[in-house]
Amino acid sequence: MRVLLTGGFGFIGSRFVRLLLNPGEGESGWPVEQVVNLDKVTYAANPDLLADLSGDPRLLPVRGDICDAELLADLFSRHDFDAVVHLAAESHVDRSIDSPEAFVRTNVLGTFHLLEAARNHCRHRSAAAKEKRFLFLNVSTDEVYGSLPPMAAAFTEADGYAPNNPYAASKAGAAHLGRAYFHTYGLPVITANGSNNYGPGQFPEKLIPLMISKILRGETLPVYGDGLQVRDWLHVDDYGRALLAMLHQGRPGEVYHVGGRCELTNLEVIHRLVALVNEHLPPDSRRSAEALVRFVPDRPGHDRRYAIDCSKIERELGWNARETADSGFRKTVQWYLEHPEWMERIADRYRGERLGRSL
Ligand code: NAD
């Protein structure tokens, strides 16, 4: 199988590529001959995360933009891909509030160019190649559904989109395009809606690595609004296994929700992280969450609750989340503690300042 992976130097991509190249025991699928990692290497990219795989001849990094139609045509003609796993995106909600244009460009226009390149590729495949499965895995998010009332049932794949911030709207646009390419052109597109991922190597603008880095530095922990916004937390390797299952067994035209069955408020997440980091600190350096938390004005358009029902992928593809908040948060804290040099390097690009306040 030859795969075009976009955004492989990002958080999810850098974990997913490991599973793709070396699926664990019991994971089904075809052997992977080549993975072309097309990545623009934006501020969010971390090529270091894949340094240990640089000797793998199956992995070919290509620095480039998914909006570059000529580059895409060239890659498709040279590599005869069997699948596209489309992860590249501008991914941080706060930045989308400050600068929405980059989100529309990469997430909407970039997805359009990729779909077009895949459509042209499928049209011109040889008769023998057309016998083989081709798949475009369009990676979306639970944020496209908008905010869920506190007691309401989790969103299912049948629910309609109601995005409330520019990031979510741009991802909704990308998912709509994928759906349209399936229905209009018959391009075999699957849409994956994942909940909030966490794990090793996440850029520290996101809640969990931001809080871990601040707790370690003994800084106050800024909490948006009352901190009672609810998110469903999913370990990045559980998401990776779900993407792998969709790639190999998913039905074209379908949407699959992937969640961790782990709804927590932001405050609950922070309390757990403080307790886990404290386990590694000498008693006189430990601080309580109450002492560290500082409530700050809420994010504009902040959705109150996200929760998605992942029973379809569990039932149809036999996927289940393996990590719980206890096991996954513990491993994640451990990773950041063991990689202070990585945190230092990132600090050149982002120092934990507040983003996304402008209205
Ligand atoms: P990330 O920001 O960590 O990485 C994005 C990667 O895409 C970076 O390596 C960046 O260089 C690359 N990129 C950005 N613009 C590009 C362009 N124009 N051309 C080529 N490459 C470009 O993001 P992530 O957290 O790994 O998320 C990956 C995907 O999963 C995104 O589509 C995101 O919307 C989706 N998603 C993320 C989460 C989450 O919690 N992180 C949850 C659900 C869905």
Side-chain angles (χ1 to χ4, degrees):
M1 181 184 235
R2 286 177 295 273
V3 180
L4 174 60
L5 171 68
T6 70
F9 286 139
F11 164 53
I12 297 175
S14 65
R15 298 298 298 183
F16 174 68
V17 77
R18 291 171 191 282
L19 289 172
L20 193 57
L21 291 171
N22 302 303
E25 231 173 277
E27 303 290 345
S28 58
W30 300 282
V32 169
E33 294 153 49
Q34 175 142 70
V35 179
V36 173
N37 172 19
L38 173 61
D39 198 303
K40 188 178 170 184
V41 191
T42 68
Y43 79 94
N46 283 295
D48 323 2
L49 292 171
L50 294 185
D52 60 313
L53 295 181
S54 61
D56 191 321
R58 295 172 297 169
L59 183 58
L60 177 68
V62 174
R63 186 171 187 157
D65 192 329
I66 55 167
C67 297
D68 183 343
E70 268 180 41
L71 171 64
L72 294 178
D74 180 54
L75 289 176
F76 272 95
S77 72
R78 279 196 289 129
H79 297 284
D80 192 19
F81 296 116
D82 304 300
V84 176
V85 180
H86 176 33
L87 286 158
E90 288 294 338
S91 69
H92 190 44
V93 175
D94 283 346
R95 288 183 197 263
S96 83
I97 294 167
D98 292 333
S99 319
E101 191 174 345
F103 287 72
V104 175
R105 184 180 176 279
T106 285
N107 300 359
V108 183
L109 202 57
T111 302
F112 159 72
H113 283 300
L114 263 181
L115 288 163
E116 270 295 277
R119 178 167 82 93
N120 279 326
H121 170 67
C122 286
R123 271 200 313 201
H124 298 116
R125 275 185 127 191
S126 66
K130 278 184 179 154
E131 295 294 307
K132 287 199 295 173
R133 175 177 165 93
F134 178 87
L135 196 75
F136 188 112
L137 184 49
N138 202 13
V139 177
S140 191
T141 164
D142 58 357
E143 301 204 17
V144 294
Y145 295 107
S147 200
L148 195 64
M151 301 311 287
F155 288 116
T156 73
E157 287 85 352
D159 280 303
Y161 291 179
N164 289 321
N165 62 65
Y167 163 70
S170 68
K171 293 297 290 184
H176 280 315
L177 281 169
R179 177 191 160 90
Y181 270 64
F182 172 74
H183 286 283
T184 306
Y185 304 113
L187 187 71
V189 177
I190 288 181
T191 309
N193 294 91
S195 63
N196 268 44
N197 276 230
Y198 68 93
Q202 188 169 28
F203 196 84
E205 62 194 358
K206 306 281 169 47
L207 181 73
I208 287 186
L210 178 67
M211 292 301 150
I212 294 174
S213 59
K214 284 184 179 290
I215 298 165
L216 285 170
R217 293 197 295 258
E219 293 176 8
T220 54
L221 308 177
V223 175
Y224 292 176
D226 60 7
L228 299 181
Q229 304 84 358
V230 173
R231 300 293 181 263
D232 172 42
W233 292 95
L234 173 67
H235 192 276
V236 65
D237 291 339
D238 279 330
Y239 197 33
R241 287 189 306 99
L243 296 177
L244 212 54
M246 285 178 241
L247 188 60
H248 295 311
Q249 314 156 50
R251 285 185 290 132
E254 292 295 316
V255 176
Y256 295 95
H257 282 181
V258 190
R261 293 193 178 276
C262 175
E263 285 187 53
L264 293 171
T265 66
N266 288 347
L267 262 185
E268 284 169 329
V269 170
I270 291 167
H271 276 256
R272 281 167 177 257
L273 296 176
V274 171
L276 286 166
V277 174
N278 274 340
E279 289 179 14
H280 297 268
L281 297 177
D284 56 348
S285 306
R286 291 178 196 158
R287 310 265 307 271
S288 69
E290 287 77 8
L292 289 169
V293 162
R294 183 169 50 90
F295 293 96
V296 299
D298 207 351
R299 166 196 281 168
H302 205 174
D303 287 328
R304 201 66 186 159
R305 177 176 170 231
Y306 297 140
I308 53 175
D309 178 344
C310 55
S311 52
K312 176 176 170 181
I313 189 170
E314 291 173 340
R315 193 175 60 246
E316 293 190 8
L317 305 187
W319 172 90
N320 283 288
R322 289 181 186 162
E323 300 291 353
T324 61
D326 283 343
S327 65
F329 284 13
R330 181 171 290 280
K331 286 181 190 169
T332 302
V333 165
Q334 187 76 34
W335 189 91
Y336 288 97
L337 285 166
E338 286 169 359
H339 293 81
E341 75 303 335
W342 187 81
M343 302 284 272
E344 275 305 308
R345 277 202 297 278
I346 293 271
D348 292 345
R349 281 178 269 162
Y350 178 66
R351 289 208 157 268
E353 61 276 16
R354 174 85 197 254
L355 301 166
R357 243 186 318 203
S358 57
L359 279 173

